């Protein structure tokens, strides 16, 4: 991976990022409605970079599993696009930034049940529904994909679904169920609303480490080629990254593009995935969130890393 000529090796940079960005005092919030997400201590901080050259650099709590939450939406989209005629999906969901919070109901009604993009909850429900056509157990299908791409460290557990977390989130899913029922009413959901939300919540409850997440996303940095062969075509890989850039951080997408300059996708578990096209995938995790639901320390760390390395799509 190329970095600025006068910059120190990446492992030293990552160690320094951890020193500077690991939270020392409790700031930010945890999401209401998903009780399991409040358990990791606020001082957790991990970062990993998987490179196209086959190296993995990591620092801090990069081997501690966390709940990937909405980062799963990137992988579900890739699987839905690779499983089916992409045109069929794109008639059901748009590719425009929403400018609203990730679980907003208002826009969906005004826009007649066509979600603005696949990375807000309503869009992800449509993508999950689409994937369920070919794979009724969409969450299981996603988990197998992630396990394959992430590989297994000696002694490492690999990605898994936290079923207790999924059950408790499902019990608090009134809003996601409302979105699903809205979609159904507009004729944009084929499976029963309950079954789609169940799959969606289990996808969100996948536990992975920063190292595993960066490795699993590497296909997006290398023209769609993953650890086990082609995941999506080169054009699809570019397009998924484009949607990450414009929609991956919800109503903070503009601010993230300004500060970091890379396609990114956050989750309310505190993880952020970022792609450096041609170079590698980065995953950072720190559980406390800003008001838009994005990791506070994670965003600051990515801005710092992008500045130090010169990585940018601009
Ligand atoms: N499971 C969460 C929800 O549906 C995911 C949201 C997120 O990570 N932004 O609300």
């Amino acid at each position: 991976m190329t970095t600025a000529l006068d910059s120190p090796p990446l492992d030293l940079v990552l160690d320094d990022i951890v020193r500077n960005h690991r939270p020392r005092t409790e700031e930010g919030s945890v999401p209401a409605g998903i009780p399991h997400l409040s358990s990791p201590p606020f001082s957790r901080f991990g970062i990993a970079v998987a490179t196209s050259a086959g190296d993995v650099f990591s620092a801090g709590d990069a081997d501690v599993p966390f709940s990937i939450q909405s980062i799963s939406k990137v992988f579900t989209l890739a699987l839905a696009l690779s499983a089916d005629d992409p045109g069929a999906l794109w008639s059901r969901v748009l590719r425009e930034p929403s400018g609203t919070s990730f679980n907003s109901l208002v826009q969906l009604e005004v826009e007649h049940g066509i979600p603005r993009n696949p990375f807000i909850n309503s869009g992800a429900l449509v993508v999950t529904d689409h994937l369920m056509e070919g794979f009724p157990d969409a969450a299981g299908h996603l988990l197998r994909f992630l396990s394959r791409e992430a590989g297994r460290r000696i002694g490492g557990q690999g990605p898994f679904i936290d079923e207790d977390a999924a059950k408790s989130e499902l019990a608090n899913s009134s809003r996601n169920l409302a979105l699903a029922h809205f979609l159904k009413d507009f004729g944009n959901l084929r499976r029963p609303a309950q079954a789609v939300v169940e799959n969606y919540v289990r996808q969100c409850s996948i536990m992975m480490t920063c190292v595993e997440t960066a490795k699993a996303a590497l296909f997006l940095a290398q023209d769609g080629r993953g650890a086990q062969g082609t995941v999506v075509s080169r054009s699809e890989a570019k397009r998924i990254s484009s949607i990450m850039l414009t929609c991956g951080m919800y109503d903070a997408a503009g601010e993230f593009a300004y500060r970091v300059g890379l396609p990114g996708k956050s989750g309310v578990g505190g993880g952020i995935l970022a792609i450096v096209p041609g170079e590698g995938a980065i995953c950072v995790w720190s559980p406390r969130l800003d008001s838009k639901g994005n990791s506070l320390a994670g965003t600051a760390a990515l801005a710092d890393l992008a500045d130090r390395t010169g990585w940018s799509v601009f």
Side-chain angles (χ1 to χ4, degrees), residues 208-225:
M208 287 171 80
T209 67
C210 289
V211 167
E212 289 164 349
T213 309
K215 285 170 78 178
L218 194 52
F219 71 94
L220 289 171
Q222 39 189 36
D223 292 340
R225 281 174 285 104

Side-chain angles (χ1 to χ4, degrees), residues 64-77:
V64 177
F66 67 92
S67 182
I68 64 170
Q69 291 296 317
S70 285
I71 296 175
S72 63
K73 293 175 167 108
V74 173
F75 299 111
T76 314
L77 176 63

Side-chain angles (χ1 to χ4, degrees), residues 34 69-70 73 102 121 169 176 200 204 250 267-268:
I34 312 179
Q69 291 296 317
S70 285
K73 293 175 167 108
F102 58 80
N121 289 12
E169 185 179 343
N176 283 329
Y200 165 82
C204 290
Y250 319 113
V268 290

